[in-house]
Amino acid sequence: MPDFGISEFSSIAVTTGKPKITKINNIANRGDYQFFKDYYLPLRTAIKGLFIHKRHISYLFDVARKQKESSKKINFEKVAGNFKDWQSGKNITAYAPPKGYYNYQQTSINCNPELNVVVNGMPTLVKLHFNASDKMTQERANIICYIMSNVINDKNFNYSVLDLSTGKEYFFNGNYEKMTVKIQDEIQIIQQYWS
């Protein structure tokens, strides 16, 4: 049974041809998720707890400075800087984010926004994107926002993707009905090539 994270599903959904099939096969044969292989785990964890634990933004830069590899330290500092710019001037309160799964046929997509924040009075669920080499686009963000909205099913939330490699925040700007069809079609393609 195909089981994906929401970001990797969106990456497959916007890929075409042989690279799409390669991505599907790589995920199908990768084994269980091993959290310690997450390059950005220390920074992801720090960002998730920043507002809940009422820490100062400088905490993210402390996490970045503690990285042993110089390239990792540089990447973490850039992400921390982009997050600092995003939150600057906002009145933010945070709560533990709701999570769930988008299930269709035999496929399950893990919906796990990292932030549940009230930004200037507006409740928002935010999926964080870190990887500059796996480029975030409006098309991908539409898929992620649609799935979060469908799974959480709460019209009181805004749903967004914050690309921390660029500092850009994306909100859904597509057609909801067409997106339903697109995601179901993509799942059928994935299931066809899953091995």
Side-chain angles (χ1 to χ4, degrees):
M1 175 172 140
D3 189 1
F4 296 94
I6 195 170
S7 292
E8 60 193 3
F9 175 79
S10 71
S11 180
I12 290 170
V14 299
T15 305
T16 59
K18 191 167 173 64
K20 179 190 281 282
I21 297 166
T22 300
K23 281 186 180 186
I24 293 168
N25 289 331
N26 287 344
I27 293 171
N29 297 305
R30 73 173 168 204
D32 292 336
Y33 171 70
Q34 297 175 318
F35 71 90
F36 57 86
K37 290 186 176 179
D38 180 350
Y39 180 85
Y40 284 103
L41 181 64
L43 197 54
R44 183 187 313 274
T45 303
I47 290 171
K48 285 167 65 173
L50 190 68
F51 301 112
I52 289 175
H53 299 299
K54 298 183 180 1
R55 290 188 170 124
H56 189 268
I57 194 71
S58 63
Y59 177 70
L60 301 184
F61 294 95
D62 292 342
V63 170
R65 280 189 286 277
K66 289 179 183 171
Q67 301 311 304
K68 291 182 175 81
E69 299 170 35
S70 62
S71 63
K72 195 170 191 178
K73 191 180 295 190
I74 291 165
N75 290 338
F76 276 37
E77 285 177 348
K78 179 181 178 192
V79 166
N82 285 337
F83 189 80
K84 179 184 177 188
D85 291 346
W86 174 80
Q87 63 85 48
S88 181
K90 294 180 171 81
N91 180 15
I92 298 175
T93 307
Y95 305 92
K99 299 177 184 203
Y101 287 87
Y102 181 92
N103 298 303
Y104 181 72
Q105 294 182 352
Q106 292 85 42
T107 296
S108 184
I109 301 169
N110 185 10
C111 174
N112 57 344
E114 282 89 357
L115 299 178
N116 173 2
V117 291
V118 178
V119 180
N120 300 329
M122 187 65 216
T124 306
L125 288 177
V126 182
K127 180 66 185 161
L128 301 176
H129 180 76
F130 292 86
N131 192 344
S133 63
D134 189 19
K135 188 169 169 41
M136 182 52 60
T137 63
Q138 183 63 58
E139 184 181 11
R140 280 188 72 188
N142 279 348
I143 291 166
I144 293 169
C145 291
Y146 168 90
I147 292 172
M148 285 195 297
S149 167
N150 189 282
V151 169
I152 305 305
N153 196 23
D154 187 336
K155 303 247 186 274
N156 293 318
F157 280 112
N158 271 340
Y159 299 89
S160 75
V161 177
L162 177 58
D163 183 353
L164 289 170
S165 69
T166 65
K168 183 171 182 183
E169 187 172 20
Y170 297 88
F171 294 88
F172 184 80
N173 74 353
N175 178 293
Y176 202 83
E177 288 74 27
K178 287 182 181 176
M179 188 59 69
T180 301
V181 173
K182 177 178 178 45
I183 288 174
Q184 291 174 354
D185 288 349
E186 287 298 331
I187 288 173
Q188 289 174 354
I189 291 168
I190 288 167
Q191 290 177 167
Q192 178 184 345
Y193 290 103
W194 192 262
S195 57

